[in-house]
């Protein structure tokens, strides 16, 4: 007996995995978008230098100029956030049907797509905040612009230089954030350990800011590899260090987020699936629902287990039961097994714990329950049941995939008696050696009612793995949206670079430079930024994958093995290729620019 808010909180806990994974991916998207806005606003200020210098010369104050830029950014944030919110509603309606069946069934309520009243204003507010913050960093240049200096080309004035003090401060801050990210990941803070991922991204960006000079030189050297067009592109890169840094960071985040989070998700899926591999030790599973859901009910028809045991070719039948219950303020999954279920559902228990549990002398609990209730092996645990409170001994703490609810494993007879649930919610059956598997399965299928599912052990493992993989599908989709944003950022940067150099490009065309040469110079410029950004992103992504693997292990209370996969190179290359696609329109624009229009005076 409890307040309705308790059930609401318990139902909310079931979707924590999806919630946190999508929040992390959305945060990465917001960071990339902020870099895009910063880059665009910086280039806008650079293009407006003649106008700003004229306003300063006739007595204009810096404050109104900055406020105009911030208001412009805020308006763009409102418009972009509004369009994104409408698009998000349609995508959300599609995504709600893709939620893992195990999570939906565990909520025990009808799942519908609803938009809370605060969701759209908060989303638009986050967009406006990111836009204004990014524009504010760019607008600082206005305070440094002098009327005479503002007339020199972009990249020449001292406003594009960074003071040594600021660089050293960035080094100290970046190293401190990197250490903080490792500490947060290593400490068992539960789901709060996931904050190490965002901290690692901020640390990488801060350290790269301190290394802007070497970063720009590396991009220029990479561009020069492409011959004479690359030399022209390298000169352009060296003249705009801040633009190069911001664009390279956009590519870095896109590649790092894709590599790191995809790798961590893959490690999580493999390790979580491994905890259910014992399901394959049984030949058949008979349950009222598919194995993609937890078989918590309804109960199977009385006597069905005995009838299945009588089927020719069946060597052993093991009834079992699962049910949700409240323990403390949390929701747990009760799992009751008979002693003959050792090789399947209770394979992770030690021999001593298994013997005690089978004799009804205690229970095994998952790590999240042990942590939340502060109990360990040998401690007394009180279970509230319909027949009164029952005090049991904790025999073992197990690393169980607890994305939906913690797990309490106990003797089946005790579960039936204490929770007044006679019968079983699923039955496992093993085929006798030499029996025809197909014939036995057909006989079992004919025996059970049509609404009852009959799955093989291999199918059960596959269904569980698919459900786990489905839970991270939405966050992976958001990560590829991050890559697309990085593509737009590179397109925007190179397009602005072409526009601000239109007179320079016009002079080159008038001197006899062909269109192909100019196109190749822009592509070389993009390759320099993209390759260096992707290389750094791959390094950061591998580090983020390790931190994310450790953090997710704490959040899901399972052991996750860190395994870098060759697919990381594939993910990184795909992200780089998508980002470099953004260089094609600016290259075409540079090659097709008319000479007269390029040389025209504004």
């Amino acid at each position: 007996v409890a307040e309705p808010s308790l059930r609401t909180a318990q139902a909310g806990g079931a979707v924590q995995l999806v919630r946190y994974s999508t929040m992390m991916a959305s945060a990465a998207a917001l960071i990339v978008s902020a870099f895009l806005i910063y880059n665009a606003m910086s280039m806008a200020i650079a293009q407006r230098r003649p106008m700003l210098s004229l306003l300063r010369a006739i007595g204009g104050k810096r404050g109104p100029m900055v406020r105009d830029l911030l208001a412009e950014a805020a308006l763009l944030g409102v418009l972009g956030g509004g369009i994104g919110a409408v698009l998000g509603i349609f995508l959300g309606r599609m995504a709600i049907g893709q939620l893992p069946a195990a999570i939906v069934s565990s909520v025990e309520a009808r799942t519908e797509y609803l938009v809370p009243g605060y969701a759209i204003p908060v989303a638009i507010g986050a967009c406006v905040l990111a836009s204004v913050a990014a524009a504010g960093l760019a607008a600082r240049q206005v305070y440094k612009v002098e009327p005479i200096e503002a007339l020199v080309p972009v990249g020449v004035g001292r406003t594009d230089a960074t003071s040594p003090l600021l660089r050293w401060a960035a080094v100290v801050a970046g190293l401190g954030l990197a250490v903080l990210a490792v500490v947060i990941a290593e400490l068992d803070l539960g789901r709060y350990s996931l904050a190490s991922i965002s901290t690692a991204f901020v640390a990488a960006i801060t350290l790269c800011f301190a290394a802007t000079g070497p970063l720009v030189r590396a991009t220029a050297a990479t561009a020069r590899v492409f011959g004479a067009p690359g030399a022209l592109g390298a000169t352009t890169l060296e003249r705009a260090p801040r633009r190069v840094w911001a664009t390279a960071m956009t590519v870095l985040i896109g590649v790092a987020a894709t590599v790191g989070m995809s790798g961590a998700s893959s490690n999580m899926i493999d390790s979580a699936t491994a905890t259910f591999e014992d399901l394959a030790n049984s030949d058949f599973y008979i349950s009222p629902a598919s194995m993609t859901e937890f078989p918590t009910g309804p109960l199977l028809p009385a006597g069905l287990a005995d009838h299945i045991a009588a089927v020719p070719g069946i060597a052993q039948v093991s009834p079992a039961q699962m049910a949700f219950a409240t323990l403390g303020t949390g929701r747990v999954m009760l799992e009751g097994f008979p002693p003959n279920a050792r090789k399947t559902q209770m394979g992770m228990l030690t021999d001593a714990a298994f013997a005690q549990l089978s004799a009804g002398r205690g229970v095994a609990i998952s790590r999240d329950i042990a942590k939340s209730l502060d109990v360990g092996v040998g401690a007394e645990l009180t279970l509230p049941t319909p027949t009164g409170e029952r005090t049991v001994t904790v025999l073992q703490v197990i690393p169980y995939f607890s994305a939906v609810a913690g797990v309490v494993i106990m003797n089946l007879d005790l579960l039936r008696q204490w929770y007044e649930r006679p019968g079983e919610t699923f039955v496992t059956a093993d085929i006798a050696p030499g029996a025809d598997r197909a014939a036995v399965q057909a006989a079992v299928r004919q025996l059970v009612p049509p609404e009852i599912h009959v799955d093989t052990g291999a199918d059960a493992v596959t269904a569980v793995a698919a459900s786990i993989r489905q839970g991270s599908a939405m966050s992976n989709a958001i990560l590829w949206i991050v890559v697309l944003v990085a593509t737009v950022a590179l397109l925007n940067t190179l397009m602005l670079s072409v526009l601000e150099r239109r007179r320079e490009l016009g002079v080159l065309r008038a001197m006899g430079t062909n269109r192909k040469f100019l196109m190749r110079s822009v592509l070389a410029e993009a390759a320099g930024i993209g390759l260096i950004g992707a290389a750094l992103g791959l390094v950061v992504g591998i580090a983020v994958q390790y931190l994310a693997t450790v953090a997710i292990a704490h959040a899901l209370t399972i052991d996750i093995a860190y395994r870098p996969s060759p697919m990381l190179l594939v993910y990184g290359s795909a992200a780089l290729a998508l980002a470099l696609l953004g260089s094609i329109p600016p290259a075409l624009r540079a090659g097709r620019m008319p000479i007269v229009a390029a040389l025209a005076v504004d």
Side-chain angles (χ1 to χ4, degrees):
V1 179
E3 295 288 337
S5 58
L6 176 64
R7 177 53 63 90
T8 302
Q10 292 176 346
V15 296
Q16 290 296 326
L17 172 63
V18 176
R19 178 180 299 168
Y20 280 97
S21 61
T22 52
M23 283 292 289
M24 287 187 296
S26 300
L30 205 59
I31 293 174
V32 173
S33 301
F35 270 97
L36 175 60
I37 295 166
Y38 167 82
N39 210 1
M41 195 59 67
S42 294
M43 295 303 295
I45 293 173
Q47 282 192 303
R48 298 174 190 177
R49 277 183 171 180
M51 180 189 70
L52 295 175
S53 65
L54 179 61
L55 291 174
R56 293 279 293 116
I58 62 177
K61 297 184 179 297
R62 296 184 178 94
M65 299 180 191
V66 173
R67 286 195 293 271
D68 286 346
L69 292 172
L70 296 181
E72 179 181 338
L75 180 60
L76 291 175
V78 171
L79 294 176
I83 296 173
V86 174
L87 181 61
I89 291 175
F90 287 103
L91 294 177
R93 290 187 179 277
M94 295 172 56
I96 199 69
Q98 303 299 318
L99 286 173
I103 291 179
V104 174
S105 63
S106 67
V107 175
E108 294 183 337
R110 185 176 65 254
T111 305
E112 296 180 351
Y113 179 74
L114 300 173
V115 181
Y118 63 85
I120 293 179
V122 168
I124 295 177
C127 294
V128 172
L129 181 61
S131 301
V132 173
L137 293 175
R140 289 175 56 252
Q141 301 175 47
V142 174
Y143 286 95
K144 299 180 180 180
V145 170
E146 300 295 339
I148 300 300
E149 184 188 8
L151 296 176
V152 303
V154 60
V156 178
R158 65 180 179 87
T159 58
D160 291 312
T162 304
S163 66
L165 181 62
L166 184 59
R167 288 199 300 270
W168 282 109
V171 170
V172 174
L175 293 176
L177 288 170
V179 173
L180 179 62
V182 174
V183 171
I184 295 175
E186 294 292 343
L187 291 177
D188 190 357
L189 302 177
R191 292 184 172 95
Y192 294 106
S193 296
L194 298 174
S196 62
I197 301 173
S198 301
T199 306
F201 276 116
V202 176
I205 294 170
T206 306
L207 290 174
C208 288
F209 175 78
T212 299
L215 182 67
V216 173
R217 290 192 291 271
T219 57
T222 303
R224 287 192 174 92
V225 174
F226 297 95
L232 176 61
T235 304
T236 304
L237 294 173
E238 292 171 340
R239 287 164 50 188
R242 288 192 176 181
R243 174 172 61 84
V244 172
W245 172 79
T247 311
M249 291 304 96
T250 306
V251 177
L252 180 150
I253 295 173
V255 173
T258 305
V259 169
M261 298 309 298
S262 297
S265 296
S266 178
N267 289 342
M268 179 201 70
I269 292 170
D270 293 340
S271 299
T273 303
T275 63
F276 296 97
E277 286 182 348
D278 286 343
L279 295 176
N281 293 333
S282 292
D283 292 319
F284 297 119
Y285 285 85
I286 300 94
S287 62
S290 170
M291 291 303 292
T292 58
E293 304 177 13
F294 294 108
T296 57
L299 297 174
L300 290 172
L304 181 61
D306 295 332
H307 294 153
I308 295 174
V311 173
I314 294 293
Q316 176 180 288
V317 169
S318 176
Q321 189 176 145
M322 289 186 179
F324 285 110
T326 297
L327 181 59
T329 58
R331 200 156 177 254
V332 300
M333 172 79 74
L334 301 174
E335 297 187 358
F337 301 111
N340 64 354
R342 168 65 165 159
K343 70 175 185 177
T344 55
Q345 286 78 24
M346 294 193 291
M348 65 181 64
L349 299 182
T350 63
D351 291 337
F354 168 74
Q356 294 289 322
L357 190 146
S358 298
R361 300 192 185 99
V363 299
I365 62 176
S366 56
R367 286 177 181 172
D368 55 337
I369 296 178
K371 182 179 178 181
S372 62
L373 299 180
D374 193 22
V375 295
V377 176
E380 297 295 322
L381 183 65
T382 301
L383 301 176
T385 74
T387 58
E389 292 186 343
R390 303 287 183 171
T391 301
V392 294
T393 302
V394 177
L395 302 174
Q396 186 176 342
V397 177
I398 58 176
Y400 197 93
F401 182 65
S402 305
V404 174
V407 172
V408 177
I409 300 178
M410 60 193 305
N411 180 271
L412 176 61
D413 292 333
L414 292 182
L415 190 152
R416 288 170 170 171
Q417 176 186 347
W418 292 352
Y419 290 88
E420 296 182 340
R421 284 173 59 99
E424 53 276 334
T425 58
F426 70 98
V427 170
T428 62
D430 293 322
I431 299 177
D436 187 345
R437 176 181 294 269
V440 174
Q441 184 175 3
V444 172
R445 177 68 272 177
Q446 186 176 4
L447 174 67
V448 302
E451 67 273 10
I452 302 297
H453 290 256
V454 178
D455 299 301
T456 65
D459 290 340
V461 176
T462 302
V464 172
S467 185
I468 296 173
R469 190 175 293 107
Q470 196 176 5
S472 60
M474 284 186 287
S475 62
N476 290 334
I478 297 176
L479 289 176
W480 285 107
I481 293 177
V482 173
V483 175
L484 294 178
V485 174
T487 302
V488 176
L490 192 59
L491 184 153
N492 178 70
T493 300
L494 295 176
M495 187 66 77
L496 288 174
S497 174
V498 169
L499 292 177
E500 76 167 355
R501 292 186 296 128
R502 61 187 183 277
R503 293 181 62 82
E504 173 187 325
L505 297 176
V507 171
L508 290 173
R509 290 279 292 118
M511 293 169 59
T513 304
N514 59 39
R515 300 177 187 271
K516 184 178 179 181
F517 184 91
L518 294 181
M519 292 174 60
R520 290 171 59 192
S521 70
V522 175
L523 293 176
E525 184 179 346
I529 296 175
L531 290 174
I532 296 301
L536 292 174
L538 189 61
V539 175
V540 173
I542 293 175
V544 168
Q545 180 189 353
Y546 173 78
L547 293 177
T549 299
V550 176
I552 293 174
H554 293 320
L556 301 182
T557 65
I558 61 173
D559 296 325
I560 300 180
Y562 171 68
R563 294 190 183 92
S565 170
M567 287 300 295
L568 296 180
L569 296 177
V570 177
Y571 289 141
S573 300
L576 172 61
L578 286 175
L580 291 179
L581 285 176
S583 65
I584 296 178
L588 295 175
R589 176 68 179 266
R592 296 174 180 175
M593 186 176 295
I595 299 177
V596 176
L599 294 175
V601 179
D602 293 336

